[in-house]
Amino acid sequence: MSSRSFIKSLNLFLLLIFAGTFSFAEKTTVPNLYEFTLNNGLELFVLEDDSAPLAYIEIAVKCGGIHQTKENAGLFHLYEHMMFKGNKKFKTQKEVTQEMNSLGVASWNGSTGIDRVNYYFTVPSNLLKRGLEFWSYAVRFPLLDEKEFENEKKVVVSEIEGGLTEPNRILFAKNAKELFPQSPWKLDPSGSPDTIKNATLEDLKFIKDNYYIPSNSAVFVGGDVKADKVYSLVKRIFGGWKNPSGNLKNETVSPSKAPLESIKKIVFPHDSISGEFSKLIYTVRGPDAQSDGMDIYGAELWSWLMDNPENSFTQMCLGKKEFNIPDAQYIAAGYSMARSSGLISLCAVMENDDSSPVLRTDSLLDFWLNECADSMADITNAEENGYGSDDISKIMKLQEDNAVFSLETPSACLNLLSSCWASAGEDYFFNYSENTAKIKDEDICAVVEKYLKKSNGTAILLVNPEVYKKWEQDFTNGSWEILDEKNCRWWNE
């Protein structure tokens, strides 16, 4: 899960407490949002909003990259594709599409991420029952036709191969390989082409029987609906969904927070960056939602505070003219929350001149990990660092204002809740403001000390190929590894 955009979406909904609830619903901190649990373990979240005669329906499953092995990486994504290829009631892709057209579905989709697989669309609210039945047949009774399966493998392989040269994917793949050396495939939901080519229907049936089960899934419904009616429909439609006899082993072990003995220096020559600039990204392991408790809130608050261009980290960097950082817009720091793959990153764009970018980058890294990290971890510098009590109060207000715009539709609210549910649990969503309010300046300092100062990370320098060619000997002498689209992949080892 990882992007900060969904964190910035939380607040107004989370600051208010809803007083009433149905007798069979659990109370939540969000007005008009109800939580239910069926006897089979299926969770249901319903948001009432009669502003338009529409109903958003989403089903999410706690699976994806996080549960992959080296041998089956990519198969959760392949399974997602097969969901639209026919089921017990709508037996072909054509029939599936016809039913969605009949439901008035203008846009539908599914996605496979590190922590979650989800499927969603919006229908007229008077067709809610049919919409729920559609997803029940798709999720519970896929046909997994052999011919469709072989065709879809080709589609997925094409998707993988089509993204192999994208610079952001190359950077992420390399970070996964270096920061999660024991299981980089868990951060690669797409998987390898060979795994997809060699997949069997038995592989997909294993996923269906062990992960696509009610106790590992949730339904999200929002719009012009009534919670009690939705609950009755979902109970009738999904209540017969059975769990397997064994217990689902859905817990994962958090990977090491210190996977590297020293900083891994990597240069990435790519024409996506102008020859006038070099871009440095330094990444370390951050707190994980499943194991690091309140640290995730401290890291997120630090990340928000780093957006203020007046924070000490930004100003310290700008004060060092030798780094050639143009202004505050060219500096960033942030945290990406996930269930067991949290990351903290520092980033800067530097103007190139006649001096060696290698020496300048080495100097900047040393500056970040000593002077800057020491300052950010020093409680006596809290006010100067930009995370005093007044700064934190301003961020809380900013989050509240941001939520007014970001969560104004049922689909946005419930998709965000779904993401949180999979990565950190629904309590993270409902109690976010309350827990963030508990964070003090000393907690933020402790996060910097624990995760940024005490761990080694990857330093990836993105440069234009011509710049690399000019300074190639310096990169070689400095033991910088060259990154390309092949050596970034765990499956090319």
PDB file of all heavy atoms in Angstrom, residues 42-55:
ATOM      1  N   LEU A  42     -17.099 -13.126   6.968  1.00  0.00           N
ATOM      2  CA  LEU A  42     -17.068 -12.069   5.970  1.00  0.00           C
ATOM      3  C   LEU A  42     -17.413 -10.736   6.625  1.00  0.00           C
ATOM      4  O   LEU A  42     -18.419 -10.619   7.334  1.00  0.00           O
ATOM      5  CB  LEU A  42     -18.069 -12.374   4.853  1.00  0.00           C
ATOM      6  CG  LEU A  42     -18.184 -11.320   3.742  1.00  0.00           C
ATOM      7  CD1 LEU A  42     -16.905 -11.276   2.909  1.00  0.00           C
ATOM      8  CD2 LEU A  42     -19.398 -11.599   2.853  1.00  0.00           C
ATOM      9  N   GLU A  43     -16.585  -9.729   6.389  1.00  0.00           N
ATOM     10  CA  GLU A  43     -16.841  -8.402   6.933  1.00  0.00           C
ATOM     11  C   GLU A  43     -17.593  -7.555   5.907  1.00  0.00           C
ATOM     12  O   GLU A  43     -17.388  -7.692   4.695  1.00  0.00           O
ATOM     13  CB  GLU A  43     -15.526  -7.726   7.322  1.00  0.00           C
ATOM     14  CG  GLU A  43     -14.809  -8.421   8.470  1.00  0.00           C
ATOM     15  CD  GLU A  43     -13.512  -7.734   8.855  1.00  0.00           C
ATOM     16  OE1 GLU A  43     -13.559  -6.682   9.527  1.00  0.00           O
ATOM     17  OE2 GLU A  43     -12.439  -8.255   8.474  1.00  0.00           O
ATOM     18  N   LEU A  44     -18.444  -6.677   6.409  1.00  0.00           N
ATOM     19  CA  LEU A  44     -19.252  -5.807   5.557  1.00  0.00           C
ATOM     20  C   LEU A  44     -19.192  -4.392   6.114  1.00  0.00           C
ATOM     21  O   LEU A  44     -19.403  -4.173   7.313  1.00  0.00           O
ATOM     22  CB  LEU A  44     -20.706  -6.287   5.509  1.00  0.00           C
ATOM     23  CG  LEU A  44     -21.727  -5.337   4.877  1.00  0.00           C
ATOM     24  CD1 LEU A  44     -21.442  -5.143   3.388  1.00  0.00           C
ATOM     25  CD2 LEU A  44     -23.151  -5.851   5.097  1.00  0.00           C
ATOM     26  N   PHE A  45     -18.940  -3.436   5.225  1.00  0.00           N
ATOM     27  CA  PHE A  45     -18.917  -2.026   5.588  1.00  0.00           C
ATOM     28  C   PHE A  45     -19.899  -1.291   4.673  1.00  0.00           C
ATOM     29  O   PHE A  45     -19.817  -1.426   3.447  1.00  0.00           O
ATOM     30  CB  PHE A  45     -17.514  -1.442   5.427  1.00  0.00           C
ATOM     31  CG  PHE A  45     -16.482  -2.126   6.283  1.00  0.00           C
ATOM     32  CD1 PHE A  45     -15.791  -3.236   5.812  1.00  0.00           C
ATOM     33  CD2 PHE A  45     -16.217  -1.673   7.567  1.00  0.00           C
ATOM     34  CE1 PHE A  45     -14.857  -3.876   6.594  1.00  0.00           C
ATOM     35  CE2 PHE A  45     -15.272  -2.304   8.365  1.00  0.00           C
ATOM     36  CZ  PHE A  45     -14.585  -3.408   7.883  1.00  0.00           C
ATOM     37  N   VAL A  46     -20.809  -0.527   5.271  1.00  0.00           N
ATOM     38  CA  VAL A  46     -21.841   0.161   4.508  1.00  0.00           C
ATOM     39  C   VAL A  46     -21.827   1.647   4.853  1.00  0.00           C
ATOM     40  O   VAL A  46     -21.927   2.022   6.025  1.00  0.00           O
ATOM     41  CB  VAL A  46     -23.239  -0.417   4.795  1.00  0.00           C
ATOM     42  CG1 VAL A  46     -24.280   0.283   3.920  1.00  0.00           C
ATOM     43  CG2 VAL A  46     -23.273  -1.918   4.562  1.00  0.00           C
ATOM     44  N   LEU A  47     -21.722   2.482   3.828  1.00  0.00           N
ATOM     45  CA  LEU A  47     -21.757   3.934   3.996  1.00  0.00           C
ATOM     46  C   LEU A  47     -23.022   4.477   3.340  1.00  0.00           C
ATOM     47  O   LEU A  47     -23.205   4.348   2.132  1.00  0.00           O
ATOM     48  CB  LEU A  47     -20.514   4.575   3.369  1.00  0.00           C
ATOM     49  CG  LEU A  47     -20.460   6.101   3.386  1.00  0.00           C
ATOM     50  CD1 LEU A  47     -20.473   6.637   4.821  1.00  0.00           C
ATOM     51  CD2 LEU A  47     -19.234   6.606   2.642  1.00  0.00           C
ATOM     52  N   GLU A  48     -23.885   5.081   4.134  1.00  0.00           N
ATOM     53  CA  GLU A  48     -25.117   5.668   3.608  1.00  0.00           C
ATOM     54  C   GLU A  48     -24.858   7.092   3.134  1.00  0.00           C
ATOM     55  O   GLU A  48     -24.359   7.931   3.882  1.00  0.00           O
ATOM     56  CB  GLU A  48     -26.201   5.681   4.693  1.00  0.00           C
ATOM     57  CG  GLU A  48     -26.632   4.296   5.141  1.00  0.00           C
ATOM     58  CD  GLU A  48     -27.736   4.343   6.182  1.00  0.00           C
ATOM     59  OE1 GLU A  48     -28.021   5.454   6.716  1.00  0.00           O
ATOM     60  OE2 GLU A  48     -28.310   3.277   6.468  1.00  0.00           O
ATOM     61  N   ASP A  49     -25.215   7.355   1.870  1.00  0.00           N
ATOM     62  CA  ASP A  49     -25.034   8.686   1.280  1.00  0.00           C
ATOM     63  C   ASP A  49     -26.021   8.805   0.125  1.00  0.00           C
ATOM     64  O   ASP A  49     -25.807   8.244  -0.950  1.00  0.00           O
ATOM     65  CB  ASP A  49     -23.596   8.860   0.790  1.00  0.00           C
ATOM     66  CG  ASP A  49     -23.338  10.229   0.162  1.00  0.00           C
ATOM     67  OD1 ASP A  49     -24.312  10.958  -0.123  1.00  0.00           O
ATOM     68  OD2 ASP A  49     -22.159  10.562  -0.063  1.00  0.00           O
ATOM     69  N   ASP A  50     -27.116   9.534   0.348  1.00  0.00           N
ATOM     70  CA  ASP A  50     -28.182   9.592  -0.656  1.00  0.00           C
ATOM     71  C   ASP A  50     -28.044  10.775  -1.610  1.00  0.00           C
ATOM     72  O   ASP A  50     -29.025  11.206  -2.229  1.00  0.00           O
ATOM     73  CB  ASP A  50     -29.547   9.629   0.023  1.00  0.00           C
ATOM     74  CG  ASP A  50     -29.730  10.856   0.916  1.00  0.00           C
ATOM     75  OD1 ASP A  50     -28.806  11.695   0.974  1.00  0.00           O
ATOM     76  OD2 ASP A  50     -30.797  10.964   1.549  1.00  0.00           O
ATOM     77  N   SER A  51     -26.813  11.293  -1.771  1.00  0.00           N
ATOM     78  CA  SER A  51     -26.604  12.457  -2.641  1.00  0.00           C
ATOM     79  C   SER A  51     -26.816  12.137  -4.113  1.00  0.00           C
ATOM     80  O   SER A  51     -27.023  13.036  -4.932  1.00  0.00           O
ATOM     81  CB  SER A  51     -25.195  13.032  -2.438  1.00  0.00           C
ATOM     82  OG  SER A  51     -24.205  12.058  -2.702  1.00  0.00           O
ATOM     83  N   ALA A  52     -26.750  10.859  -4.483  1.00  0.00           N
ATOM     84  CA  ALA A  52     -27.001  10.436  -5.868  1.00  0.00           C
ATOM     85  C   ALA A  52     -27.588   9.035  -5.831  1.00  0.00           C
ATOM     86  O   ALA A  52     -27.260   8.244  -4.943  1.00  0.00           O
ATOM     87  CB  ALA A  52     -25.701  10.466  -6.685  1.00  0.00           C
ATOM     88  N   PRO A  53     -28.461   8.678  -6.775  1.00  0.00           N
ATOM     89  CA  PRO A  53     -29.118   7.358  -6.772  1.00  0.00           C
ATOM     90  C   PRO A  53     -28.200   6.245  -7.278  1.00  0.00           C
ATOM     91  O   PRO A  53     -28.527   5.519  -8.230  1.00  0.00           O
ATOM     92  CB  PRO A  53     -30.316   7.577  -7.704  1.00  0.00           C
ATOM     93  CG  PRO A  53     -29.832   8.595  -8.683  1.00  0.00           C
ATOM     94  CD  PRO A  53     -28.947   9.532  -7.884  1.00  0.00           C
ATOM     95  N   LEU A  54     -27.040   6.121  -6.649  1.00  0.00           N
ATOM     96  CA  LEU A  54     -26.025   5.159  -7.073  1.00  0.00           C
ATOM     97  C   LEU A  54     -25.548   4.333  -5.881  1.00  0.00           C
ATOM     98  O   LEU A  54     -25.683   4.752  -4.724  1.00  0.00           O
ATOM     99  CB  LEU A  54     -24.825   5.885  -7.700  1.00  0.00           C
ATOM    100  CG  LEU A  54     -25.100   6.736  -8.936  1.00  0.00           C
ATOM    101  CD1 LEU A  54     -23.868   7.560  -9.305  1.00  0.00           C
ATOM    102  CD2 LEU A  54     -25.524   5.848 -10.110  1.00  0.00           C
ATOM    103  N   ALA A  55     -24.974   3.166  -6.189  1.00  0.00           N
ATOM    104  CA  ALA A  55     -24.406   2.302  -5.152  1.00  0.00           C
ATOM    105  C   ALA A  55     -23.042   1.795  -5.617  1.00  0.00           C
ATOM    106  O   ALA A  55     -22.934   1.161  -6.668  1.00  0.00           O
ATOM    107  CB  ALA A  55     -25.335   1.136  -4.849  1.00  0.00           C
TER     108      ALA A  55
END
